[in-house]
Amino acid sequence: VLVAGAIALPLAIYAFLIEPFRVRLTRVEIPIKGLPAGLDGLTICHLSDMHAAGYGRLERNTARILSDLEADLCVMTGDLLNSWEGLQALDRMLDCFKPRLGVFAVLGNGDHKGFMTPGEIEDGLSGMKVNLLINSHHAMIVNGEDVKIIGVDDPFKRRDQFGRATAGMPRGGFRLLLAHSPDILSEVD
């Protein structure tokens, strides 16, 4: 019992007091066959599962990393908030981070827990200049290239509507799909 306790205690300390607050920046270069020349070298910061509830150690660590980061675009793929206070925490985290092409987000299953409606989340994010894509898309020209950012609501809970998200969107150009869960991939052509 003493040996098991001696092993379990450090594991519990790490699991509950250290690991949840470790924010890591990982740089990944993704080769994309047929990528238009104007998009070569485009940098995208991807944030997910932030679960912001207040401005604590995790949020301060995230803000510190973001303040030193230069990116062309930021995407947030769901489970953004755990409370109303999370909006202010997210605002503080993003305050010093200004990607030149903007910030785009989609909702995850955790964002549908009932403390805020999707409309309230959208209103809060728009004040931070975060574009929430709920089964919709945003088109832009980047370095002379046609880019479409497609955002679907949470596929895990079957709130995604890929057809609605791409309705009226011309074919062609570079398309970037934002979703909280990979379950949507079976619907993508």
Side-chain angles (χ1 to χ4, degrees):
V1 173
L2 288 176
V3 172
I7 293 170
L9 182 60
L11 288 175
I13 289 171
Y14 180 80
F16 293 102
L17 299 177
I18 297 172
E19 177 64 24
F21 303 104
R22 289 186 62 208
V23 179
R24 291 174 294 248
L25 174 63
T26 304
R27 296 178 190 272
V28 178
E29 188 170 321
I30 302 173
I32 300 173
K33 186 177 178 178
L35 182 71
L39 301 180
D40 189 26
L42 184 76
T43 57
I44 302 173
C45 173
H46 177 210
L47 303 170
S48 189
D49 295 275
M50 310 246 328
H51 295 279
Y55 198 73
R57 185 169 48 158
L58 176 64
E59 292 76 17
R60 285 191 305 276
N61 290 343
T62 302
R64 180 183 46 76
I65 289 172
L66 290 176
S67 69
D68 293 335
L69 188 62
E70 291 185 24
D72 296 309
L73 178 68
C74 178
V75 297
M76 298 189 302
T77 54
D79 284 0
L80 308 171
L81 306 167
N82 275 1
S83 70
W84 277 95
E85 293 79 19
L87 275 174
Q88 290 80 24
L90 192 57
D91 190 25
R92 287 180 69 182
M93 283 186 276
L94 295 175
D95 185 49
C96 56
F97 180 56
K98 303 293 182 224
R100 72 179 177 93
L101 300 173
V103 181
F104 294 84
V106 294
L107 299 177
N109 58 303
D111 298 312
H112 289 283
K113 289 186 177 176
F115 62 89
M116 296 175 81
T117 67
E120 290 169 327
I121 294 172
E122 185 171 23
D123 289 345
L125 293 177
S126 69
M128 296 176 232
K129 299 195 177 0
V130 174
N131 302 288
L132 183 61
L133 300 175
I134 302 175
N135 297 316
S136 61
H137 68 273
H138 178 86
M140 66 174 95
I141 302 296
V142 178
N143 301 330
E145 303 292 350
D146 182 27
V147 174
K148 296 162 189 92
I149 301 173
I150 304 161
V152 294
D153 203 343
D154 178 47
F156 184 72
K157 296 285 187 176
R158 299 189 176 153
R159 290 183 169 93
D160 59 302
Q161 297 176 16
F162 186 74
R164 181 174 159 207
T166 58
M169 186 178 82
R171 300 225 11 104
F174 180 77
R175 298 184 298 168
L176 178 65
L177 175 62
L178 307 182
H180 181 63
S181 160
D183 297 346
I184 186 73
L185 292 178
S186 63
E187 295 183 43
V188 177
D189 56 5

